[in-house]
């Protein structure tokens, strides 16, 4: 991505968000996929990162969740909620205390109260959002001051459902784009881009933003 076009106020082109499969996401996610989407070493690196940055007692939302949330065991979190598209996957997730079915591409507003959460996670799924700036504006709304938005990315995807621009971006450019989503959404400070990729496994690129 051209860094000269990264002004927070400049809108992102509509063409970024086109997808090969523009049909209703509900159809695509009707079938449960009880699989993992990144290598075990990459999952371990993500879990270790969560262990480092998520405080015990935190109220956590796993956005675009499935049957695994990659949270470390043995840490007493507060309420852990999940939001995703497949009831069978969410019901099978042992780390969730509650879950909701919600299509963020139809309605980017999160069904949670203002300032009710400490951490919002999004693991290996941000490439499926067609209205990401609205989603991250809602993430800012539901986070308490000082709370964290953590977006983890890698290089695998469901190609027909991933937005066009993700197919053309390097890891560094994906980080830049997701950082920009947060800048454009507003309400975030301290937006960091991290590379925690383990050797010889799927990469792990992270954007971490703090609710101002
Ligand atoms: C590649 S999976 C990742 C699941 C999980 N976060 C993980 O780390 O294994 C993509 C997830 O994004 C969710 N998802 C895709 N499109 C969505 C949408 N429009 N609204 C909400 N969730 C969506 C699906 O339910 C699916 O669980």
């Amino acid at each position: 991505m051209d860094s000269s076009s990264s002004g927070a106020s400049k809108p992102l082109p509509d063409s970024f968000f086109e997808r090969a499969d523009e049909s209703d996401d509900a159809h695509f996610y009707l079938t449960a996929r009880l699989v993992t989407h990144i290598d075990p070493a990459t999952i371990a690196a993500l879990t270790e990162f969560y262990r480092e940055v998520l405080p015990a007692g935190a109220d956590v939302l796993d956005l675009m969740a499935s049957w695994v949330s990659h949270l470390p065991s043995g840490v007493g979190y507060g309420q852990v909620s999940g939001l995703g598209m497949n009831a069978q996957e969410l019901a099978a997730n042992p780390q969730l205390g509650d879950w909701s079915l919600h299509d963020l591409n139809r309605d980017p507003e999160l069904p949670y109260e203002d300032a009710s959460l400490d951490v919002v996670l999004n693991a290996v799924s941000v490439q499926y959002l067609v209205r990401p700036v609205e989603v991250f504006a809602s993430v800012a709304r539901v986070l308490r001051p000082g709370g964290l938005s953590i977006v983890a990315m890698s290089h695998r995807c469901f190609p027909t459902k991933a937005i066009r621009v993700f197919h053309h971006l390097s890891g560094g450019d994906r980080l830049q784009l997701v950082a920009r989503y947060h800048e454009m959404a507003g309400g975030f400070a301290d937006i960091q881009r991290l590379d925690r990729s383990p050797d010889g496994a799927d990469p792990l690129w992270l954007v971490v933003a703090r609710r101002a």
Side-chain angles (χ1 to χ4, degrees):
M1 199 170 69
D2 177 4
S3 60
S4 65
S5 66
S6 65
S9 59
K10 188 171 174 182
L12 297 166
D14 289 345
S15 59
F16 276 22
F17 302 103
E18 292 167 357
R19 300 174 295 171
D21 176 1
E22 296 283 11
S23 67
D24 194 337
D25 287 353
H27 297 305
F28 188 84
Y29 293 103
L30 207 53
T31 309
R33 296 176 175 86
L34 301 175
V35 298
T36 50
H37 301 279
I38 41 178
D39 289 332
T42 311
I43 292 175
L46 180 57
T47 299
E48 183 52 34
F49 183 76
Y50 288 162
R51 189 185 292 283
E52 286 171 28
V53 301
L54 268 60
D59 293 320
V60 177
L61 169 61
D62 184 10
L63 210 56
M64 309 186 81
S66 179
W67 68 292
V68 280
S69 287
H70 318 300
L71 290 164
S73 55
V75 181
Y77 295 114
Q79 188 65 18
V80 180
S81 306
L83 179 151
M85 292 291 285
N86 184 280
Q88 198 184 330
E89 292 175 10
L90 293 162
N93 188 326
Q95 297 193 300
L96 300 180
D98 65 87
W99 52 267
S100 309
L101 287 176
H102 185 104
D103 184 343
L104 292 168
N105 289 337
R106 279 184 173 270
D107 179 4
E109 198 59 51
L110 300 177
Y112 302 93
E113 298 290 318
D114 294 359
S116 58
L117 296 161
D118 299 299
V119 182
V120 179
L121 309 173
N122 186 317
V124 295
S125 303
V126 72
Q127 65 272 19
Y128 306 119
L129 291 176
V130 300
R131 297 163 68 183
V133 176
E134 291 165 86
V135 171
F136 285 102
S138 190
V139 170
R141 180 184 63 73
V142 301
L143 279 172
R144 297 181 177 123
L148 295 177
S149 169
I150 302 176
V151 179
M153 291 175 275
S154 193
H155 60 179
R156 295 199 230 166
C157 67
F158 302 129
T160 59
K161 279 292 180 189
I163 58 170
R164 179 191 299 273
V165 72
F166 259 75
H167 292 294
H168 303 291
L169 297 181
S170 66
D173 284 344
R174 290 177 185 189
L175 285 168
Q176 187 179 329
L177 180 64
V178 173
R180 191 162 162 208
Y181 291 166
H182 286 81
E183 290 166 6
M184 293 178 77
F188 291 101
D190 214 1
I191 303 170
Q192 296 178 52
R193 299 176 248 164
L194 307 171
D195 186 342
R196 291 292 189 102
S197 305
D199 288 340
D202 289 328
L204 179 62
W205 301 302
L206 294 150
V207 172
V208 182
R210 187 170 293 281
R211 181 70 176 93

